Amino acid sequence: MYFETKQNFMSYPFKINSLEAYNKAREQSVKDPEGFWAEIASSFLWKKRWDTVLNWNFKEPKIEWFKGGKLNITENCIDRHLGTLSNKPAIIWEPNDPDENHRVLTYRDLYNKVIQFSNVLKNNGVKKGDRVCLYMGMVPELAIATLACARIGAVHSVIFGGFSAQSIADRLQDAQAEYIVTCDGAYRGNKEISLKAVIDDALVQCRFVKKVIVLTHTRTPISMIKGRDVWWEDEIKKVETMGNPDCPAEEMDAEDPLFILYTSGSTGKPKGVVHTVGGYMVYTTYSFVNVFQYTPGDIHFCTADIGWITGHSYIVYGPLGAGATTLIFEGIPTWPDAGRFWDVVDKHKVNILYTAPTAIRSLMGFGLEPLVGKDLSSLKVLGSVGEPINEEAWHWFDEHIGKKRCPIVDTWWQTETGGILISNMAGITPSKPSYATLPLPGVQPVLVDENGMVIEGNNVSGNLCIKFPWPGMLRTTYGDHDRCRTNYFATYENLYFTGDGCYRDATGNYRITGRVDDVLNVSGHRIGTAEVENAINMHAGVVESAVVGYPHDIKGQGIYAYVIYDNTHDDDNLTRLDINQTVSRIIGAIAKPDKIQFVKGLPKTRSGKIMRRILRKIAEGELENLGDTSTLLDPSVVEEIKQGRV
Ligand code: WT7
């Protein structure tokens, strides 16, 4: 038994080493899911073993993994590595500016810093169960703050640095988060973003916020409000004057919440996806080790932002759970030039590179020149996430980055799934360009038709569902459990519905074909069309709008907005810029439409429903074959829209 023993974690009892072992594990996981997961969970550090492996029904839904088990995820991600790995780098931080020094935090350093900041949080009144919003750039302190919350049992809610004050205020209110950790500013390429100023704007609407802890990073002038705002560095000094006390890890139930992460859906309001401590820990480490075939000593570089689920699971928790070295990169792929990623790989001898198709496509556009003189021979495994990867990008990645010797894992998953569900395992199961391929053992995907009938066999397409719980799945949407039910568990009885369409080929490989709901995937970021419409509609002069996606060479999908505007404006282009400003203010720059077409009317049915299918086709440039338009109230608007296409 592994319980309460600090076993040598460098061997991963759950690591799958061959195709045969994969097949066997997959079979066992279906036959006896509870036994399968109990064995995996047993290799983690628990303060007390669980009472039951799994309680579940998808009706409510109720999902409980390892209930009654007591643990703290930070003891698994940090403390238990101190024996063998204390001098090993846990975090390598590469700054935005290549001329600035990078930083290395060993597991011992990380431990010390997390303990210190845990005490800072406590000194500022944060208690177990309190929600703490983290709005920071990609600095190591973001990972430290995340782990410090987990250490004391506070629920972190990281908000991506590109969201606006209004978006932050909405999330703070929804989560009733009384504490914020932020930076004065953040660097992104040649831009400096005033994070604290954005927080200040958000807090005008959020008087319930008690404390804002501000890390000095850009040293840009900021306002500090007495009694509410404190400097990170001053608070650390206070802890040092106290003699740097220890901070024992709070005992958490496996089903206590670990974090809330907001994501878009088909309605106008983002959902606070809730993940819990035990299952999330087990699932992220299990999937990290297996998909990337992590071997001790590997340097892992995931290029995502910690503000998204990819960063939570595969920059912070998964790699640290495995005792790996995780690289945090502050910058962007194209600054100071399009060779920046390759410089980072070369400089830090990166072994695993996990990035997004949109980044690959954008770098492809710069040709091969940025690769000249860059030694990429350390790379062993490449990964892709966030959207379907097109074959052209796949082959470029394979040829020019992996030099045809690195397996590429195409990892399909979602904020709600906590970790990778469908993917090949590097070098173990075969890859197939543009296919996520096979489920991880423990994951049971099914395809269903519109009536919810399960589609058996191969060479079939349908809506992707999962028919059995896995430990990393969401438990609820914060403050509104019924929303979780209606969104994910009510479309098809007894199934978790992903919102994705999917094809299963002749040999059982899965290929994700994209969302089947009104959700866009722009540069790997999920954006609800309703949210963008709400923002556009707030612009003075806008009467109504409809937003759809269209194929975009780099972003995957672009945002196309049809806008009915009162006819007092004189300059279409200026009005477009104005509307974009409003969207930036309400959501953030990531949601700005790429194209805005002013129209006199929208194609509506007699019952007033917008026929998006038609708008989508026109945005895609498909002007013929618009399908049945006979149910339209006024078919002539379609002609006008076709004429005015931008
Ligand atoms: C949606 C989830 C999971 C981390 C990043 C995005 C799409 C994700 C793939 C892939 C095809 C993919 C799906 C999914 N997606 N990975 N490998 N192939 N599509 O997280 O914001 O929660 O979005 O991203 O449509 O539903 P997210």
mmCIF file of all heavy atoms in Angstrom, residues 56-61 444 446 448 452 454 465-469 488-497:
data_model
loop_
_atom_site.group_PDB
_atom_site.id
_atom_site.type_symbol
_atom_site.label_atom_id
_atom_site.label_comp_id
_atom_site.label_asym_id
_atom_site.label_seq_id
_atom_site.Cartn_x
_atom_site.Cartn_y
_atom_site.Cartn_z
ATOM 1 N N TRP A 56 -22.278 8.044 -8.116
ATOM 2 C CA TRP A 56 -22.662 8.898 -9.248
ATOM 3 C C TRP A 56 -24.047 8.622 -9.773
ATOM 4 O O TRP A 56 -24.582 7.515 -9.654
ATOM 5 C CB TRP A 56 -21.678 8.729 -10.402
ATOM 6 C CG TRP A 56 -21.799 7.431 -11.162
ATOM 7 C CD1 TRP A 56 -21.433 6.196 -10.723
ATOM 8 C CD2 TRP A 56 -22.311 7.258 -12.495
ATOM 9 N NE1 TRP A 56 -21.656 5.261 -11.698
ATOM 10 C CE2 TRP A 56 -22.201 5.876 -12.797
ATOM 11 C CE3 TRP A 56 -22.825 8.138 -13.458
ATOM 12 C CZ2 TRP A 56 -22.602 5.347 -14.029
ATOM 13 C CZ3 TRP A 56 -23.222 7.609 -14.684
ATOM 14 C CH2 TRP A 56 -23.112 6.231 -14.964
ATOM 15 N N ASN A 57 -24.652 9.691 -10.299
ATOM 16 C CA ASN A 57 -25.736 9.567 -11.257
ATOM 17 C C ASN A 57 -25.675 10.824 -12.112
ATOM 18 O O ASN A 57 -25.308 11.898 -11.639
ATOM 19 C CB ASN A 57 -27.097 9.406 -10.562
ATOM 20 C CG ASN A 57 -27.556 10.685 -9.914
ATOM 21 O OD1 ASN A 57 -27.870 11.665 -10.581
ATOM 22 N ND2 ASN A 57 -27.567 10.704 -8.582
ATOM 23 N N PHE A 58 -25.964 10.679 -13.390
ATOM 24 C CA PHE A 58 -25.900 11.828 -14.297
ATOM 25 C C PHE A 58 -27.225 12.592 -14.319
ATOM 26 O O PHE A 58 -27.373 13.562 -15.043
ATOM 27 C CB PHE A 58 -25.544 11.364 -15.723
ATOM 28 C CG PHE A 58 -24.054 11.137 -15.935
ATOM 29 C CD1 PHE A 58 -23.592 10.577 -17.121
ATOM 30 C CD2 PHE A 58 -23.116 11.508 -14.989
ATOM 31 C CE1 PHE A 58 -22.234 10.381 -17.353
ATOM 32 C CE2 PHE A 58 -21.750 11.314 -15.196
ATOM 33 C CZ PHE A 58 -21.310 10.743 -16.386
ATOM 34 N N LYS A 59 -28.195 12.122 -13.527
ATOM 35 C CA LYS A 59 -29.487 12.780 -13.548
ATOM 36 C C LYS A 59 -29.430 14.142 -12.862
ATOM 37 O O LYS A 59 -29.870 15.141 -13.406
ATOM 38 C CB LYS A 59 -30.520 11.878 -12.868
ATOM 39 C CG LYS A 59 -31.822 11.884 -13.598
ATOM 40 C CD LYS A 59 -32.817 10.875 -13.072
ATOM 41 C CE LYS A 59 -33.983 10.790 -14.001
ATOM 42 N NZ LYS A 59 -33.619 10.370 -15.364
ATOM 43 N N GLU A 60 -28.846 14.137 -11.635
ATOM 44 C CA GLU A 60 -28.833 15.411 -10.863
ATOM 45 C C GLU A 60 -27.924 16.473 -11.470
ATOM 46 O O GLU A 60 -28.358 17.613 -11.544
ATOM 47 C CB GLU A 60 -28.403 15.113 -9.418
ATOM 48 C CG GLU A 60 -29.358 14.208 -8.684
ATOM 49 C CD GLU A 60 -28.843 13.839 -7.295
ATOM 50 O OE1 GLU A 60 -28.453 14.761 -6.555
ATOM 51 O OE2 GLU A 60 -28.839 12.650 -6.945
ATOM 52 N N PRO A 61 -26.697 16.312 -11.836
ATOM 53 C CA PRO A 61 -25.847 15.139 -11.673
ATOM 54 C C PRO A 61 -25.196 15.130 -10.295
ATOM 55 O O PRO A 61 -25.020 16.181 -9.666
ATOM 56 C CB PRO A 61 -24.773 15.379 -12.728
ATOM 57 C CG PRO A 61 -24.608 16.872 -12.729
ATOM 58 C CD PRO A 61 -25.965 17.436 -12.443
ATOM 59 N N GLN A 444 -14.846 6.675 -21.580
ATOM 60 C CA GLN A 444 -15.734 5.896 -22.449
ATOM 61 C C GLN A 444 -16.566 6.795 -23.356
ATOM 62 O O GLN A 444 -17.696 7.146 -23.029
ATOM 63 C CB GLN A 444 -16.642 5.006 -21.601
ATOM 64 C CG GLN A 444 -15.864 4.060 -20.701
ATOM 65 C CD GLN A 444 -16.783 3.092 -19.962
ATOM 66 O OE1 GLN A 444 -17.758 2.607 -20.503
ATOM 67 N NE2 GLN A 444 -16.458 2.818 -18.705
ATOM 68 N N VAL A 446 -18.928 7.943 -26.523
ATOM 69 C CA VAL A 446 -19.930 7.375 -27.429
ATOM 70 C C VAL A 446 -20.389 8.474 -28.378
ATOM 71 O O VAL A 446 -20.311 9.664 -28.064
ATOM 72 C CB VAL A 446 -21.171 6.813 -26.689
ATOM 73 C CG1 VAL A 446 -20.831 5.571 -25.891
ATOM 74 C CG2 VAL A 446 -21.818 7.860 -25.801
ATOM 75 N N VAL A 448 -23.724 9.887 -30.503
ATOM 76 C CA VAL A 448 -25.181 9.748 -30.515
ATOM 77 C C VAL A 448 -25.763 10.573 -31.660
ATOM 78 O O VAL A 448 -25.167 11.567 -32.105
ATOM 79 C CB VAL A 448 -25.821 10.205 -29.182
ATOM 80 C CG1 VAL A 448 -25.360 9.336 -28.025
ATOM 81 C CG2 VAL A 448 -25.505 11.669 -28.899
ATOM 82 N N GLY A 452 -30.592 11.059 -29.606
ATOM 83 C CA GLY A 452 -29.950 10.494 -28.432
ATOM 84 C C GLY A 452 -29.702 9.003 -28.544
ATOM 85 O O GLY A 452 -29.328 8.356 -27.565
ATOM 86 N N VAL A 454 -27.564 5.921 -29.378
ATOM 87 C CA VAL A 454 -26.136 5.666 -29.495
ATOM 88 C C VAL A 454 -25.840 5.037 -30.858
ATOM 89 O O VAL A 454 -26.537 4.131 -31.299
ATOM 90 C CB VAL A 454 -25.645 4.748 -28.353
ATOM 91 C CG1 VAL A 454 -24.201 4.309 -28.583
ATOM 92 C CG2 VAL A 454 -25.772 5.469 -27.016
ATOM 93 N N CYS A 465 -20.375 12.198 -26.772
ATOM 94 C CA CYS A 465 -20.767 12.136 -25.363
ATOM 95 C C CYS A 465 -19.823 11.192 -24.629
ATOM 96 O O CYS A 465 -19.105 10.414 -25.242
ATOM 97 C CB CYS A 465 -22.186 11.586 -25.223
ATOM 98 S SG CYS A 465 -23.441 12.666 -25.925
ATOM 99 N N ILE A 466 -19.860 11.262 -23.291
ATOM 100 C CA ILE A 466 -19.076 10.325 -22.480
ATOM 101 C C ILE A 466 -20.079 9.616 -21.577
ATOM 102 O O ILE A 466 -20.920 10.272 -20.954
ATOM 103 C CB ILE A 466 -18.011 11.060 -21.633
ATOM 104 C CG1 ILE A 466 -17.252 12.120 -22.458
ATOM 105 C CG2 ILE A 466 -17.047 10.057 -20.994
ATOM 106 C CD1 ILE A 466 -16.270 11.630 -23.484
ATOM 107 N N LYS A 467 -19.975 8.316 -21.518
ATOM 108 C CA LYS A 467 -21.057 7.599 -20.841
ATOM 109 C C LYS A 467 -20.769 7.161 -19.416
ATOM 110 O O LYS A 467 -21.650 6.624 -18.752
ATOM 111 C CB LYS A 467 -21.506 6.404 -21.686
ATOM 112 C CG LYS A 467 -20.568 5.231 -21.722
ATOM 113 C CD LYS A 467 -21.303 4.052 -22.381
ATOM 114 C CE LYS A 467 -20.413 2.843 -22.438
ATOM 115 N NZ LYS A 467 -20.917 1.829 -23.361
ATOM 116 N N PHE A 468 -19.565 7.401 -18.948
ATOM 117 C CA PHE A 468 -19.228 7.015 -17.574
ATOM 118 C C PHE A 468 -18.354 8.115 -16.979
ATOM 119 O O PHE A 468 -17.555 8.716 -17.690
ATOM 120 C CB PHE A 468 -18.495 5.662 -17.577
ATOM 121 C CG PHE A 468 -18.457 5.004 -16.229
ATOM 122 C CD1 PHE A 468 -19.509 4.189 -15.819
ATOM 123 C CD2 PHE A 468 -17.383 5.210 -15.362
ATOM 124 C CE1 PHE A 468 -19.491 3.591 -14.560
ATOM 125 C CE2 PHE A 468 -17.369 4.618 -14.097
ATOM 126 C CZ PHE A 468 -18.417 3.803 -13.701
ATOM 127 N N PRO A 469 -18.507 8.386 -15.680
ATOM 128 C CA PRO A 469 -17.670 9.447 -15.090
ATOM 129 C C PRO A 469 -16.173 9.103 -15.102
ATOM 130 O O PRO A 469 -15.811 7.934 -15.116
ATOM 131 C CB PRO A 469 -18.155 9.528 -13.637
ATOM 132 C CG PRO A 469 -19.311 8.628 -13.506
ATOM 133 C CD PRO A 469 -19.407 7.753 -14.705
ATOM 134 N N TYR A 488 -25.025 20.058 -19.597
ATOM 135 C CA TYR A 488 -24.200 18.898 -19.943
ATOM 136 C C TYR A 488 -24.899 17.545 -19.813
ATOM 137 O O TYR A 488 -24.456 16.574 -20.388
ATOM 138 C CB TYR A 488 -22.943 18.859 -19.052
ATOM 139 C CG TYR A 488 -22.171 20.151 -19.056
ATOM 140 C CD1 TYR A 488 -22.221 21.033 -17.973
ATOM 141 C CD2 TYR A 488 -21.397 20.493 -20.160
ATOM 142 C CE1 TYR A 488 -21.510 22.222 -17.980
ATOM 143 C CE2 TYR A 488 -20.683 21.679 -20.174
ATOM 144 C CZ TYR A 488 -20.740 22.545 -19.086
ATOM 145 O OH TYR A 488 -20.040 23.708 -19.093
ATOM 146 N N PHE A 489 -25.965 17.486 -19.015
ATOM 147 C CA PHE A 489 -26.515 16.166 -18.706
ATOM 148 C C PHE A 489 -27.976 16.004 -19.112
ATOM 149 O O PHE A 489 -28.551 14.939 -18.912
ATOM 150 C CB PHE A 489 -26.341 15.870 -17.208
ATOM 151 C CG PHE A 489 -24.895 15.862 -16.785
ATOM 152 C CD1 PHE A 489 -24.290 17.013 -16.281
ATOM 153 C CD2 PHE A 489 -24.124 14.719 -16.930
ATOM 154 C CE1 PHE A 489 -22.947 17.022 -15.915
ATOM 155 C CE2 PHE A 489 -22.777 14.712 -16.560
ATOM 156 C CZ PHE A 489 -22.197 15.862 -16.058
ATOM 157 N N ALA A 490 -28.574 17.062 -19.657
ATOM 158 C CA ALA A 490 -30.007 16.981 -19.964
ATOM 159 C C ALA A 490 -30.278 16.719 -21.445
ATOM 160 O O ALA A 490 -31.365 16.261 -21.807
ATOM 161 C CB ALA A 490 -30.706 18.263 -19.516
ATOM 162 N N THR A 491 -29.301 17.010 -22.301
ATOM 163 C CA THR A 491 -29.530 16.814 -23.740
ATOM 164 C C THR A 491 -29.767 15.340 -24.031
ATOM 165 O O THR A 491 -30.685 14.983 -24.770
ATOM 166 C CB THR A 491 -28.310 17.311 -24.552
ATOM 167 O OG1 THR A 491 -27.875 18.551 -23.991
ATOM 168 C CG2 THR A 491 -28.658 17.496 -26.015
ATOM 169 N N TYR A 492 -28.929 14.499 -23.468
ATOM 170 C CA TYR A 492 -29.056 13.052 -23.673
ATOM 171 C C TYR A 492 -29.070 12.368 -22.315
ATOM 172 O O TYR A 492 -28.215 12.632 -21.476
ATOM 173 C CB TYR A 492 -27.875 12.529 -24.507
ATOM 174 C CG TYR A 492 -27.740 13.237 -25.825
ATOM 175 C CD1 TYR A 492 -26.644 14.062 -26.074
ATOM 176 C CD2 TYR A 492 -28.718 13.105 -26.811
ATOM 177 C CE1 TYR A 492 -26.522 14.737 -27.277
ATOM 178 C CE2 TYR A 492 -28.599 13.779 -28.024
ATOM 179 C CZ TYR A 492 -27.500 14.594 -28.248
ATOM 180 O OH TYR A 492 -27.386 15.263 -29.429
ATOM 181 N N GLU A 493 -30.035 11.505 -22.126
ATOM 182 C CA GLU A 493 -30.202 10.863 -20.835
ATOM 183 C C GLU A 493 -28.981 9.998 -20.494
ATOM 184 O O GLU A 493 -28.514 9.213 -21.324
ATOM 185 C CB GLU A 493 -31.460 10.003 -20.873
ATOM 186 C CG GLU A 493 -32.074 9.856 -19.509
ATOM 187 C CD GLU A 493 -33.304 8.957 -19.552
ATOM 188 O OE1 GLU A 493 -33.989 8.915 -20.595
ATOM 189 O OE2 GLU A 493 -33.546 8.289 -18.535
ATOM 190 N N ASN A 494 -28.510 10.199 -19.285
ATOM 191 C CA ASN A 494 -27.416 9.369 -18.774
ATOM 192 C C ASN A 494 -26.087 9.515 -19.505
ATOM 193 O O ASN A 494 -25.244 8.619 -19.439
ATOM 194 C CB ASN A 494 -27.802 7.891 -18.778
ATOM 195 C CG ASN A 494 -28.464 7.540 -17.465
ATOM 196 O OD1 ASN A 494 -28.040 8.018 -16.418
ATOM 197 N ND2 ASN A 494 -29.514 6.754 -17.543
ATOM 198 N N LEU A 495 -25.930 10.646 -20.180
ATOM 199 C CA LEU A 495 -24.665 10.887 -20.867
ATOM 200 C C LEU A 495 -24.178 12.296 -20.559
ATOM 201 O O LEU A 495 -24.988 13.206 -20.381
ATOM 202 C CB LEU A 495 -24.836 10.760 -22.382
ATOM 203 C CG LEU A 495 -25.241 9.396 -22.960
ATOM 204 C CD1 LEU A 495 -25.522 9.531 -24.457
ATOM 205 C CD2 LEU A 495 -24.161 8.353 -22.708
ATOM 206 N N TYR A 496 -22.863 12.459 -20.513
ATOM 207 C CA TYR A 496 -22.275 13.799 -20.476
ATOM 208 C C TYR A 496 -22.122 14.245 -21.925
ATOM 209 O O TYR A 496 -21.469 13.564 -22.728
ATOM 210 C CB TYR A 496 -20.896 13.761 -19.790
ATOM 211 C CG TYR A 496 -20.087 15.025 -20.026
ATOM 212 C CD1 TYR A 496 -20.326 16.173 -19.292
ATOM 213 C CD2 TYR A 496 -19.099 15.066 -21.020
ATOM 214 C CE1 TYR A 496 -19.606 17.339 -19.537
ATOM 215 C CE2 TYR A 496 -18.371 16.232 -21.265
ATOM 216 C CZ TYR A 496 -18.633 17.359 -20.520
ATOM 217 O OH TYR A 496 -17.930 18.509 -20.772
ATOM 218 N N PHE A 497 -22.722 15.378 -22.285
ATOM 219 C CA PHE A 497 -22.652 15.878 -23.655
ATOM 220 C C PHE A 497 -21.574 16.944 -23.775
ATOM 221 O O PHE A 497 -21.555 17.916 -23.037
ATOM 222 C CB PHE A 497 -24.010 16.419 -24.084
ATOM 223 C CG PHE A 497 -24.004 17.022 -25.470
ATOM 224 C CD1 PHE A 497 -23.339 16.404 -26.519
ATOM 225 C CD2 PHE A 497 -24.671 18.221 -25.714
ATOM 226 C CE1 PHE A 497 -23.319 16.967 -27.784
ATOM 227 C CE2 PHE A 497 -24.656 18.784 -26.982
ATOM 228 C CZ PHE A 497 -23.981 18.154 -28.017
#
